[in-house]
Amino acid sequence: QVQLVESGGGSVQTGGSLRLSCVASGFTYSTYCMAWFRQAPGKERGRVASIDSVGRRGYADSVKGRFTISKDNAMNSLYLQMDNLKPEDTAMYYCAALRNGWYCPLGRNDYNYWGQGTQVTVAS
């Protein structure tokens, strides 16, 4: 059974940092594209960052230079280091996985598996 379990969300002040984690099970993690998406109330779910099976990373323009995605294949874990957080980063953050590890698309509908999400709230 495939599972993605996120953790690490919370409430911080503007300029603070958080590190999100996603532990995967039930599939060959290292061959997948892994990504973080976020969704704020009343907005579409959008890709924040992704990392493919060979380690190539992609970021949304709004988080470049502030967020860093990484993974540990031995631990089946995905991370998102978020620094210099802003109120507009407030959202539910989701971990997602796609079987085709050679390419990480932007669209949420392309991904096969999702976690339940972890809430990030940034106070001004």
Side-chain angles (χ1 to χ4, degrees), residues 34-110:
M34 300 298 297
W36 288 100
F37 282 73
R38 68 184 179 186
Q39 187 169 17
K43 295 189 176 181
E44 294 289 318
R45 189 177 298 188
R47 193 201 68 167
V48 175
S50 61
I51 184 166
D52 66 19
S53 60
V54 294
R56 290 172 297 198
R57 296 168 171 82
Y59 296 95
D61 288 342
S62 59
V63 306
K64 282 181 181 176
R66 301 188 298 122
F67 291 11
T68 303
I69 190 170
S70 62
K71 64 176 182 174
D72 184 336
N73 287 337
M75 299 295 291
N76 279 11
S77 294
L78 180 72
Y79 306 101
L80 185 68
Q81 178 66 40
M82 304 187 296
D83 297 318
N84 191 21
L85 282 160
K86 304 176 181 181
E88 51 263 43
D89 295 317
T90 295
M92 185 73 78
Y93 283 70
Y94 298 90
C95 174
L98 170 64
R99 291 190 196 98
N100 180 6
W102 289 103
Y103 172 63
C104 289
L106 296 175
R108 59 172 292 185
N109 292 331
D110 294 308

Side-chain angles (χ1 to χ4, degrees), residues 5 13 34 40 82 92 106 111-112 120:
V5 180
Q13 296 291 317
M34 300 298 297
M82 304 187 296
M92 185 73 78
L106 296 175
Y111 288 78
N112 302 112
V120 171

